Amino acid sequence: MENIKRLTSGIIAFALVLMLLAIKNKYLVDVVLAVVAIFAIEEYFKAVSKVCKPVKWVGYVSAISIAVVHIIPKECLGLSVALSIPTILLVLFLTVILTTMKTSFKDVAYTFLGIFYIIFFTMFVAVIYGMKNGNILIWYTFFAAWGTDVFAFYFGCKFGKHKLNKISPKKSVEGSIAGIIGSTAMALIYTYFINTYVGMNFNYIVVGIMGVVLSILGQIGDFSASSIKRYVDIKDYSNLIPGHGGMLDRIDSLLFIAPFAYAFFEILL
């Protein structure tokens, strides 16, 4: 039953993403990503509230800022993003000062980590979509994240015998390898179609290497999110998505993939 829920939710999520990207409106994508980030940062704050008092309003404002990524002039975007990091940290420490340390250094540290990890990394998804041919490139990130997850989960359930790491005891070495192979194969098949029918000219070797690297990064992202859950002793971040848990459970791989995928696209493709 749990697997059926997971499969059904996955199909619905994929269909929604497909419809959203088919509209080809980067401003709408930015708004949706801002909403996703709000859900994810709220789940993170709820989780770490067991060990600190996060400065939530700074996180929510940061998440909303994703909605204006492509409203900011392109020539100012890099500077705006770069300045946002020290600005957020400044505001957080100002909160410590103004509350006479009722907001503690620990509260600031956990809050900043969540913002940087969730909001800043999510912003790269928006940036990728706004690139030249971004509506084509963005699918490489999804194949790396969700393709790895699907192949690793189902192959691991059937053939997994060797545990990969105690942080996620259900994950196996066999599933991990299957995730890498499966997601990379999806990327190569996708490359064949866009090279043949869309007029792209992407190198298959480069795409293959990129697929392997992004899949591994996605799995590290998965384990990273799981390590936070183990630290605060929860199973899932929420029950928002049946069979998958919360929004952060669903996008944890994508978060680590997006910044490096952007680098690959800028440098190699």
Side-chain angles (χ1 to χ4, degrees):
M1 178 62 83
E2 190 67 22
N3 285 354
I4 294 175
K5 282 184 181 180
R6 184 182 180 91
L7 179 61
T8 303
S9 298
I11 292 172
I12 293 173
F14 180 79
L16 290 174
V17 170
L18 189 62
M19 289 192 309
L20 173 65
L21 298 184
I23 297 172
K24 295 183 179 180
N25 186 314
K26 62 185 178 182
Y27 303 106
L28 178 60
V29 170
D30 292 348
V31 171
V32 172
L33 286 171
V35 173
V36 167
I38 289 171
F39 274 105
I41 197 70
E42 167 59 21
E43 291 171 350
Y44 169 82
F45 284 153
K46 185 177 179 181
V48 300
S49 289
K50 290 188 171 188
V51 294
C52 73
K53 294 183 293 183
V55 188
K56 293 184 177 182
W57 72 269
V58 180
Y60 299 144
V61 171
S62 300
I64 292 171
S65 70
I66 296 176
V68 302
V69 164
H70 289 107
I71 294 176
I72 300 171
K74 188 174 181 181
E75 59 272 16
C76 300
L77 182 58
L79 179 62
S80 299
V81 173
L83 283 177
S84 69
I85 299 170
T87 300
I88 290 168
L89 196 55
L90 184 148
V91 170
L92 288 172
F93 274 113
L94 188 60
T95 305
V96 174
I97 296 167
L98 293 177
T99 60
T100 322
M101 295 190 69
K102 289 181 181 177
T103 297
S104 69
F105 171 73
K106 184 169 74 170
D107 301 332
V108 166
Y110 277 98
T111 303
F112 185 72
L113 173 63
I115 292 172
F116 196 86
Y117 164 49
I118 297 170
I119 311 302
F120 192 67
F121 285 11
T122 299
M123 193 174 294
F124 275 96
V125 180
V127 172
I128 290 171
Y129 191 73
M131 296 174 71
K132 181 181 178 181
N133 298 316
N135 61 316
I136 294 173
L137 296 175
I138 195 68
W139 285 103
Y140 284 109
T141 66
F142 294 140
F143 291 144
W146 297 343
T148 299
D149 184 47
V150 169
F151 282 99
F153 179 79
Y154 289 102
F155 195 91
C157 285
K158 193 170 183 65
F159 301 106
K161 294 180 180 179
H162 301 88
K163 301 300 180 184
L164 187 59
N165 193 290
K166 291 182 179 179
I167 292 175
S168 290
K170 291 184 179 180
K171 290 182 171 61
S172 65
V173 173
E174 292 82 359
S176 174
I177 294 172
I180 294 170
I181 295 173
S183 63
T184 303
M186 290 177 67
L188 289 170
I189 293 170
Y190 176 67
T191 302
Y192 169 78
F193 277 99
I194 62 175
N195 280 355
T196 304
Y197 301 108
V198 186
M200 297 292 104
N201 188 30
F202 294 158
N203 184 286
Y204 291 99
I205 296 176
V206 170
V207 170
I209 294 171
M210 181 180 73
V212 171
V213 172
L214 294 183
S215 178
I216 293 171
L217 289 170
Q219 293 187 53
I220 294 173
D222 193 332
F223 276 108
S224 299
S226 294
S227 70
I228 298 172
K229 289 190 291 185
R230 298 297 170 264
Y231 180 66
V232 297
D233 194 26
I234 58 174
K235 182 179 182 294
D236 293 316
Y237 283 103
S238 76
N239 58 0
L240 179 67
I241 307 173
H244 291 270
M247 184 64 73
L248 189 50
D249 291 294
R250 182 63 279 171
I251 67 169
D252 53 9
S253 298
L254 186 63
L255 291 177
F256 268 63
I257 286 169
F260 294 96
Y262 171 74
F264 265 114
F265 300 151
E266 282 284 7
I267 297 170
L268 299 176
L269 300 182

